[in-house]
Amino acid sequence: AVSTALTENDVLRKMAEEATKKKPNSKLIKGISGVKVKDIHPPVITLTLSPGTGLFMAVLVQMTIAGKSFLGGNLEIKVAANLTANNRLSQTALGIPKFSSENCHVSLISVKTNLPSSVLPKVLNKFLDSTLQKVLPGLLCPAVDAVLGLVNAKLTTMTSEISLGTAGTLRYALLNPPTTSETFIQLDLKTILHQKEGDELDLPTDQPPLTSLPPKKEAATQLILSANFLSTELRIMQASFSLDIRDNMVDRAAGPGYPSVTLCFASPQISRALPPSQPLVIELREAKPPLVTITPEASFAHFFSTAEFLVSPLDSAPESLFILDVHSDLKARFAVRGEKLCISLALDSLSKMALASSSIGTFDELPLKGILANVIHVAYVPSINEALQGGIPLPNLLGIKYRQAEISKSEVRT
């Protein structure tokens, strides 16, 4: 980001031109009039992290200062200088990372002029002692602020609101001030959701201890997503997971008349209440927010649902037969597409199924477990995956591209 700001935006040249435009007819450098800067070489940039502070910047600058000499005629001074600055990384009131420059210093490396050799030593000493050392900081140090301003503009996009469709908008912000070590910068982020109604949803801000994080790869950015964060994203979309399942939705996958025909063999009460010709509807609703768990072996999304079985006569309103409480364990797989984290789910098991209420009397619900698992597998899980297709927007950190990311559980490396 720093290199791009310095080179693509031609910051050094713009700063030098601005400095010389302020007093175009004045003697910016004693003994020289009509000063202008030209032939600025591409800067050589060295950046190192300053533990507890932020960023140390060293920039090798090579340029030519031209003007009219007090001796008469054109004068050119080829200057090589090293610009150094400490840049503090802090946090704004809006939770945005921000760099600010401190202690900018310019030291001369070499000075060459086109003056006659007979006067060269005397003039050079004068420049070195009283002129260039005073002029160059004012000429070059504003470029540091300009570069950091461009970098900060990129960091501001991290907190831009991102649409989540019908759920509202999501934005990221810093939870704590940035932490800088010798090898990396750590940003602890929080997520802020504004629902369509305008309400702000309080999202979890859990932080895993640093000792639990995977080892840092050199020259890589790691984004660690907690299980609670993923749970919250599913919670935001909870309303879109509801589904009314009818016989024709599963006929293709499970066979004609399934599950209504199969239900008739599962229980005498169901058989009496549901003749094979009677249309059946299963209303699946989330009773409480989904939960994501992550282990070294696998990742799961746990759905806590109610499955209400209803008959749907053609000439009257649907009639409820019974309601089951269902806990489904869905194996989660992750992928990155379009700068978003995409989740794909597949049914692993029904870890719990219990009769919650019934209008046809009590019965043994256990024979229904395999039937319901198949219905969830062929109809409900595909519906959930369709709702998840939009993916979870990932934070925009200095234009990082996630499309080349490697995923390991909840850890995303770019």
PDB file of all heavy atoms in Angstrom, residues 226-252:
ATOM      1  N   SER A 226     -13.711 -16.837  14.407  1.00  0.00           N
ATOM      2  CA  SER A 226     -14.118 -17.676  15.535  1.00  0.00           C
ATOM      3  C   SER A 226     -15.411 -18.421  15.213  1.00  0.00           C
ATOM      4  O   SER A 226     -16.201 -18.017  14.360  1.00  0.00           O
ATOM      5  CB  SER A 226     -14.322 -16.817  16.788  1.00  0.00           C
ATOM      6  OG  SER A 226     -15.481 -16.020  16.650  1.00  0.00           O
ATOM      7  N   ALA A 227     -15.627 -19.500  15.942  1.00  0.00           N
ATOM      8  CA  ALA A 227     -16.873 -20.257  15.788  1.00  0.00           C
ATOM      9  C   ALA A 227     -18.072 -19.399  16.170  1.00  0.00           C
ATOM     10  O   ALA A 227     -19.144 -19.495  15.546  1.00  0.00           O
ATOM     11  CB  ALA A 227     -16.818 -21.521  16.652  1.00  0.00           C
ATOM     12  N   ASN A 228     -17.914 -18.533  17.177  1.00  0.00           N
ATOM     13  CA  ASN A 228     -19.014 -17.651  17.569  1.00  0.00           C
ATOM     14  C   ASN A 228     -19.373 -16.674  16.457  1.00  0.00           C
ATOM     15  O   ASN A 228     -20.542 -16.336  16.256  1.00  0.00           O
ATOM     16  CB  ASN A 228     -18.647 -16.885  18.840  1.00  0.00           C
ATOM     17  CG  ASN A 228     -18.927 -17.684  20.090  1.00  0.00           C
ATOM     18  OD1 ASN A 228     -19.459 -18.787  20.022  1.00  0.00           O
ATOM     19  ND2 ASN A 228     -18.565 -17.139  21.229  1.00  0.00           N
ATOM     20  N   PHE A 229     -18.354 -16.190  15.749  1.00  0.00           N
ATOM     21  CA  PHE A 229     -18.615 -15.295  14.620  1.00  0.00           C
ATOM     22  C   PHE A 229     -19.452 -15.999  13.562  1.00  0.00           C
ATOM     23  O   PHE A 229     -20.438 -15.457  13.058  1.00  0.00           O
ATOM     24  CB  PHE A 229     -17.290 -14.817  14.023  1.00  0.00           C
ATOM     25  CG  PHE A 229     -17.426 -14.105  12.708  1.00  0.00           C
ATOM     26  CD1 PHE A 229     -17.790 -12.767  12.666  1.00  0.00           C
ATOM     27  CD2 PHE A 229     -17.197 -14.770  11.511  1.00  0.00           C
ATOM     28  CE1 PHE A 229     -17.934 -12.103  11.448  1.00  0.00           C
ATOM     29  CE2 PHE A 229     -17.331 -14.124  10.301  1.00  0.00           C
ATOM     30  CZ  PHE A 229     -17.699 -12.784  10.267  1.00  0.00           C
ATOM     31  N   LEU A 230     -19.069 -17.229  13.220  1.00  0.00           N
ATOM     32  CA  LEU A 230     -19.807 -17.984  12.214  1.00  0.00           C
ATOM     33  C   LEU A 230     -21.218 -18.302  12.696  1.00  0.00           C
ATOM     34  O   LEU A 230     -22.175 -18.271  11.922  1.00  0.00           O
ATOM     35  CB  LEU A 230     -19.049 -19.261  11.864  1.00  0.00           C
ATOM     36  CG  LEU A 230     -17.657 -19.047  11.250  1.00  0.00           C
ATOM     37  CD1 LEU A 230     -16.925 -20.374  11.107  1.00  0.00           C
ATOM     38  CD2 LEU A 230     -17.761 -18.354   9.905  1.00  0.00           C
ATOM     39  N   SER A 231     -21.368 -18.601  13.992  1.00  0.00           N
ATOM     40  CA  SER A 231     -22.699 -18.855  14.552  1.00  0.00           C
ATOM     41  C   SER A 231     -23.587 -17.634  14.385  1.00  0.00           C
ATOM     42  O   SER A 231     -24.774 -17.741  14.050  1.00  0.00           O
ATOM     43  CB  SER A 231     -22.588 -19.226  16.035  1.00  0.00           C
ATOM     44  OG  SER A 231     -21.889 -20.438  16.222  1.00  0.00           O
ATOM     45  N   THR A 232     -23.010 -16.462  14.632  1.00  0.00           N
ATOM     46  CA  THR A 232     -23.784 -15.225  14.530  1.00  0.00           C
ATOM     47  C   THR A 232     -24.228 -14.972  13.099  1.00  0.00           C
ATOM     48  O   THR A 232     -25.345 -14.506  12.852  1.00  0.00           O
ATOM     49  CB  THR A 232     -22.954 -14.038  15.044  1.00  0.00           C
ATOM     50  OG1 THR A 232     -22.568 -14.299  16.395  1.00  0.00           O
ATOM     51  CG2 THR A 232     -23.738 -12.750  14.992  1.00  0.00           C
ATOM     52  N   GLU A 233     -23.348 -15.269  12.143  1.00  0.00           N
ATOM     53  CA  GLU A 233     -23.723 -15.077  10.743  1.00  0.00           C
ATOM     54  C   GLU A 233     -24.909 -15.966  10.376  1.00  0.00           C
ATOM     55  O   GLU A 233     -25.808 -15.548   9.641  1.00  0.00           O
ATOM     56  CB  GLU A 233     -22.527 -15.365   9.827  1.00  0.00           C
ATOM     57  CG  GLU A 233     -21.368 -14.404  10.013  1.00  0.00           C
ATOM     58  CD  GLU A 233     -21.748 -12.968   9.753  1.00  0.00           C
ATOM     59  OE1 GLU A 233     -22.511 -12.724   8.795  1.00  0.00           O
ATOM     60  OE2 GLU A 233     -21.320 -12.093  10.513  1.00  0.00           O
ATOM     61  N   LEU A 234     -24.935 -17.200  10.884  1.00  0.00           N
ATOM     62  CA  LEU A 234     -26.083 -18.077  10.633  1.00  0.00           C
ATOM     63  C   LEU A 234     -27.323 -17.547  11.361  1.00  0.00           C
ATOM     64  O   LEU A 234     -28.441 -17.628  10.851  1.00  0.00           O
ATOM     65  CB  LEU A 234     -25.772 -19.506  11.084  1.00  0.00           C
ATOM     66  CG  LEU A 234     -24.686 -20.245  10.309  1.00  0.00           C
ATOM     67  CD1 LEU A 234     -24.542 -21.672  10.824  1.00  0.00           C
ATOM     68  CD2 LEU A 234     -24.986 -20.263   8.811  1.00  0.00           C
ATOM     69  N   ARG A 235     -27.103 -17.012  12.542  1.00  0.00           N
ATOM     70  CA  ARG A 235     -28.217 -16.440  13.307  1.00  0.00           C
ATOM     71  C   ARG A 235     -28.857 -15.284  12.554  1.00  0.00           C
ATOM     72  O   ARG A 235     -30.084 -15.125  12.550  1.00  0.00           O
ATOM     73  CB  ARG A 235     -27.689 -15.973  14.664  1.00  0.00           C
ATOM     74  CG  ARG A 235     -28.647 -15.122  15.481  1.00  0.00           C
ATOM     75  CD  ARG A 235     -27.938 -14.643  16.734  1.00  0.00           C
ATOM     76  NE  ARG A 235     -28.583 -13.524  17.358  1.00  0.00           N
ATOM     77  CZ  ARG A 235     -28.029 -12.777  18.302  1.00  0.00           C
ATOM     78  NH1 ARG A 235     -26.796 -13.036  18.715  1.00  0.00           N
ATOM     79  NH2 ARG A 235     -28.690 -11.772  18.835  1.00  0.00           N
ATOM     80  N   ILE A 236     -28.035 -14.469  11.901  1.00  0.00           N
ATOM     81  CA  ILE A 236     -28.557 -13.339  11.141  1.00  0.00           C
ATOM     82  C   ILE A 236     -29.493 -13.822  10.035  1.00  0.00           C
ATOM     83  O   ILE A 236     -30.500 -13.190   9.717  1.00  0.00           O
ATOM     84  CB  ILE A 236     -27.393 -12.526  10.535  1.00  0.00           C
ATOM     85  CG1 ILE A 236     -26.608 -11.818  11.646  1.00  0.00           C
ATOM     86  CG2 ILE A 236     -27.878 -11.521   9.509  1.00  0.00           C
ATOM     87  CD1 ILE A 236     -25.304 -11.211  11.177  1.00  0.00           C
ATOM     88  N   MET A 237     -29.165 -14.982   9.458  1.00  0.00           N
ATOM     89  CA  MET A 237     -29.932 -15.499   8.320  1.00  0.00           C
ATOM     90  C   MET A 237     -31.008 -16.490   8.737  1.00  0.00           C
ATOM     91  O   MET A 237     -31.631 -17.137   7.890  1.00  0.00           O
ATOM     92  CB  MET A 237     -28.967 -16.165   7.334  1.00  0.00           C
ATOM     93  CG  MET A 237     -27.841 -15.269   6.863  1.00  0.00           C
ATOM     94  SD  MET A 237     -26.757 -16.100   5.695  1.00  0.00           S
ATOM     95  CE  MET A 237     -27.866 -16.306   4.313  1.00  0.00           C
ATOM     96  N   GLN A 238     -31.244 -16.611  10.024  1.00  0.00           N
ATOM     97  CA  GLN A 238     -32.123 -17.645  10.562  1.00  0.00           C
ATOM     98  C   GLN A 238     -33.513 -17.632   9.918  1.00  0.00           C
ATOM     99  O   GLN A 238     -34.084 -18.685   9.632  1.00  0.00           O
ATOM    100  CB  GLN A 238     -32.247 -17.468  12.076  1.00  0.00           C
ATOM    101  CG  GLN A 238     -33.079 -18.532  12.766  1.00  0.00           C
ATOM    102  CD  GLN A 238     -33.077 -18.338  14.278  1.00  0.00           C
ATOM    103  OE1 GLN A 238     -32.164 -17.727  14.834  1.00  0.00           O
ATOM    104  NE2 GLN A 238     -34.094 -18.843  14.937  1.00  0.00           N
ATOM    105  N   ALA A 239     -34.048 -16.444   9.682  1.00  0.00           N
ATOM    106  CA  ALA A 239     -35.402 -16.344   9.133  1.00  0.00           C
ATOM    107  C   ALA A 239     -35.516 -16.978   7.752  1.00  0.00           C
ATOM    108  O   ALA A 239     -36.594 -17.441   7.359  1.00  0.00           O
ATOM    109  CB  ALA A 239     -35.841 -14.886   9.074  1.00  0.00           C
ATOM    110  N   SER A 240     -34.414 -17.009   7.001  1.00  0.00           N
ATOM    111  CA  SER A 240     -34.463 -17.542   5.635  1.00  0.00           C
ATOM    112  C   SER A 240     -34.322 -19.058   5.596  1.00  0.00           C
ATOM    113  O   SER A 240     -34.354 -19.641   4.510  1.00  0.00           O
ATOM    114  CB  SER A 240     -33.367 -16.896   4.778  1.00  0.00           C
ATOM    115  OG  SER A 240     -32.088 -17.182   5.306  1.00  0.00           O
ATOM    116  N   PHE A 241     -34.171 -19.708   6.753  1.00  0.00           N
ATOM    117  CA  PHE A 241     -34.006 -21.160   6.775  1.00  0.00           C
ATOM    118  C   PHE A 241     -35.334 -21.904   6.894  1.00  0.00           C
ATOM    119  O   PHE A 241     -35.357 -23.136   6.813  1.00  0.00           O
ATOM    120  CB  PHE A 241     -33.089 -21.576   7.929  1.00  0.00           C
ATOM    121  CG  PHE A 241     -31.676 -21.057   7.807  1.00  0.00           C
ATOM    122  CD1 PHE A 241     -30.935 -20.759   8.937  1.00  0.00           C
ATOM    123  CD2 PHE A 241     -31.100 -20.862   6.568  1.00  0.00           C
ATOM    124  CE1 PHE A 241     -29.643 -20.283   8.837  1.00  0.00           C
ATOM    125  CE2 PHE A 241     -29.804 -20.377   6.452  1.00  0.00           C
ATOM    126  CZ  PHE A 241     -29.075 -20.083   7.591  1.00  0.00           C
ATOM    127  N   SER A 242     -36.449 -21.196   7.127  1.00  0.00           N
ATOM    128  CA  SER A 242     -37.750 -21.858   7.255  1.00  0.00           C
ATOM    129  C   SER A 242     -38.153 -22.458   5.914  1.00  0.00           C
ATOM    130  O   SER A 242     -37.884 -21.895   4.846  1.00  0.00           O
ATOM    131  CB  SER A 242     -38.809 -20.874   7.735  1.00  0.00           C
ATOM    132  OG  SER A 242     -38.488 -20.364   9.019  1.00  0.00           O
ATOM    133  N   LEU A 243     -38.832 -23.605   5.983  1.00  0.00           N
ATOM    134  CA  LEU A 243     -39.221 -24.287   4.741  1.00  0.00           C
ATOM    135  C   LEU A 243     -40.460 -25.141   4.985  1.00  0.00           C
ATOM    136  O   LEU A 243     -40.573 -25.814   6.015  1.00  0.00           O
ATOM    137  CB  LEU A 243     -38.077 -25.169   4.237  1.00  0.00           C
ATOM    138  CG  LEU A 243     -38.323 -25.910   2.914  1.00  0.00           C
ATOM    139  CD1 LEU A 243     -38.433 -24.920   1.755  1.00  0.00           C
ATOM    140  CD2 LEU A 243     -37.213 -26.923   2.651  1.00  0.00           C
ATOM    141  N   ASP A 244     -41.400 -25.089   4.052  1.00  0.00           N
ATOM    142  CA  ASP A 244     -42.553 -25.998   4.040  1.00  0.00           C
ATOM    143  C   ASP A 244     -42.261 -27.091   3.031  1.00  0.00           C
ATOM    144  O   ASP A 244     -42.104 -26.823   1.829  1.00  0.00           O
ATOM    145  CB  ASP A 244     -43.835 -25.259   3.651  1.00  0.00           C
ATOM    146  CG  ASP A 244     -44.269 -24.255   4.709  1.00  0.00           C
ATOM    147  OD1 ASP A 244     -43.712 -24.298   5.824  1.00  0.00           O
ATOM    148  OD2 ASP A 244     -45.159 -23.428   4.421  1.00  0.00           O
ATOM    149  N   ILE A 245     -42.183 -28.320   3.507  1.00  0.00           N
ATOM    150  CA  ILE A 245     -41.817 -29.448   2.653  1.00  0.00           C
ATOM    151  C   ILE A 245     -43.073 -30.233   2.302  1.00  0.00           C
ATOM    152  O   ILE A 245     -43.827 -30.654   3.190  1.00  0.00           O
ATOM    153  CB  ILE A 245     -40.804 -30.361   3.363  1.00  0.00           C
ATOM    154  CG1 ILE A 245     -39.524 -29.568   3.673  1.00  0.00           C
ATOM    155  CG2 ILE A 245     -40.483 -31.581   2.512  1.00  0.00           C
ATOM    156  CD1 ILE A 245     -38.514 -30.351   4.473  1.00  0.00           C
ATOM    157  N   ARG A 246     -43.294 -30.443   1.018  1.00  0.00           N
ATOM    158  CA  ARG A 246     -44.442 -31.201   0.535  1.00  0.00           C
ATOM    159  C   ARG A 246     -43.953 -32.479  -0.149  1.00  0.00           C
ATOM    160  O   ARG A 246     -42.784 -32.607  -0.498  1.00  0.00           O
ATOM    161  CB  ARG A 246     -45.279 -30.353  -0.424  1.00  0.00           C
ATOM    162  CG  ARG A 246     -45.758 -29.056   0.228  1.00  0.00           C
ATOM    163  CD  ARG A 246     -46.557 -28.173  -0.719  1.00  0.00           C
ATOM    164  NE  ARG A 246     -46.884 -26.908  -0.060  1.00  0.00           N
ATOM    165  CZ  ARG A 246     -47.941 -26.723   0.715  1.00  0.00           C
ATOM    166  NH1 ARG A 246     -48.783 -27.738   0.921  1.00  0.00           N
ATOM    167  NH2 ARG A 246     -48.173 -25.552   1.279  1.00  0.00           N
ATOM    168  N   ASP A 247     -44.894 -33.380  -0.329  1.00  0.00           N
ATOM    169  CA  ASP A 247     -44.524 -34.680  -0.908  1.00  0.00           C
ATOM    170  C   ASP A 247     -43.767 -34.535  -2.217  1.00  0.00           C
ATOM    171  O   ASP A 247     -42.769 -35.216  -2.457  1.00  0.00           O
ATOM    172  CB  ASP A 247     -45.779 -35.523  -1.152  1.00  0.00           C
ATOM    173  CG  ASP A 247     -46.340 -36.100   0.143  1.00  0.00           C
ATOM    174  OD1 ASP A 247     -45.633 -36.000   1.161  1.00  0.00           O
ATOM    175  OD2 ASP A 247     -47.456 -36.630   0.131  1.00  0.00           O
ATOM    176  N   ASN A 248     -44.223 -33.622  -3.071  1.00  0.00           N
ATOM    177  CA  ASN A 248     -43.602 -33.534  -4.398  1.00  0.00           C
ATOM    178  C   ASN A 248     -42.175 -33.007  -4.346  1.00  0.00           C
ATOM    179  O   ASN A 248     -41.426 -33.125  -5.310  1.00  0.00           O
ATOM    180  CB  ASN A 248     -44.451 -32.678  -5.338  1.00  0.00           C
ATOM    181  CG  ASN A 248     -44.668 -31.267  -4.799  1.00  0.00           C
ATOM    182  OD1 ASN A 248     -44.162 -30.916  -3.742  1.00  0.00           O
ATOM    183  ND2 ASN A 248     -45.432 -30.473  -5.556  1.00  0.00           N
ATOM    184  N   MET A 249     -41.792 -32.390  -3.201  1.00  0.00           N
ATOM    185  CA  MET A 249     -40.426 -31.876  -3.077  1.00  0.00           C
ATOM    186  C   MET A 249     -39.419 -33.006  -2.858  1.00  0.00           C
ATOM    187  O   MET A 249     -38.238 -32.846  -3.139  1.00  0.00           O
ATOM    188  CB  MET A 249     -40.329 -30.878  -1.927  1.00  0.00           C
ATOM    189  CG  MET A 249     -41.138 -29.604  -2.129  1.00  0.00           C
ATOM    190  SD  MET A 249     -41.005 -28.475  -0.729  1.00  0.00           S
ATOM    191  CE  MET A 249     -39.271 -28.030  -0.830  1.00  0.00           C
ATOM    192  N   VAL A 250     -39.884 -34.132  -2.331  1.00  0.00           N
ATOM    193  CA  VAL A 250     -38.957 -35.230  -2.045  1.00  0.00           C
ATOM    194  C   VAL A 250     -39.237 -36.459  -2.898  1.00  0.00           C
ATOM    195  O   VAL A 250     -38.499 -37.439  -2.834  1.00  0.00           O
ATOM    196  CB  VAL A 250     -39.011 -35.606  -0.544  1.00  0.00           C
ATOM    197  CG1 VAL A 250     -38.448 -34.491   0.301  1.00  0.00           C
ATOM    198  CG2 VAL A 250     -40.413 -35.948  -0.115  1.00  0.00           C
ATOM    199  N   ASP A 251     -40.308 -36.403  -3.678  1.00  0.00           N
ATOM    200  CA  ASP A 251     -40.636 -37.562  -4.521  1.00  0.00           C
ATOM    201  C   ASP A 251     -39.478 -37.945  -5.429  1.00  0.00           C
ATOM    202  O   ASP A 251     -39.155 -39.122  -5.602  1.00  0.00           O
ATOM    203  CB  ASP A 251     -41.869 -37.254  -5.386  1.00  0.00           C
ATOM    204  CG  ASP A 251     -43.158 -37.460  -4.595  1.00  0.00           C
ATOM    205  OD1 ASP A 251     -43.061 -37.945  -3.454  1.00  0.00           O
ATOM    206  OD2 ASP A 251     -44.234 -37.117  -5.113  1.00  0.00           O
ATOM    207  N   ARG A 252     -38.861 -36.942  -6.031  1.00  0.00           N
ATOM    208  CA  ARG A 252     -37.807 -37.223  -7.007  1.00  0.00           C
ATOM    209  C   ARG A 252     -36.616 -37.914  -6.357  1.00  0.00           C
ATOM    210  O   ARG A 252     -35.993 -38.799  -6.945  1.00  0.00           O
ATOM    211  CB  ARG A 252     -37.346 -35.922  -7.660  1.00  0.00           C
ATOM    212  CG  ARG A 252     -36.329 -36.119  -8.771  1.00  0.00           C
ATOM    213  CD  ARG A 252     -35.975 -34.807  -9.428  1.00  0.00           C
ATOM    214  NE  ARG A 252     -37.158 -34.174 -10.010  1.00  0.00           N
ATOM    215  CZ  ARG A 252     -37.157 -32.970 -10.562  1.00  0.00           C
ATOM    216  NH1 ARG A 252     -36.039 -32.262 -10.610  1.00  0.00           N
ATOM    217  NH2 ARG A 252     -38.266 -32.464 -11.070  1.00  0.00           N
TER     218      ARG A 252
END
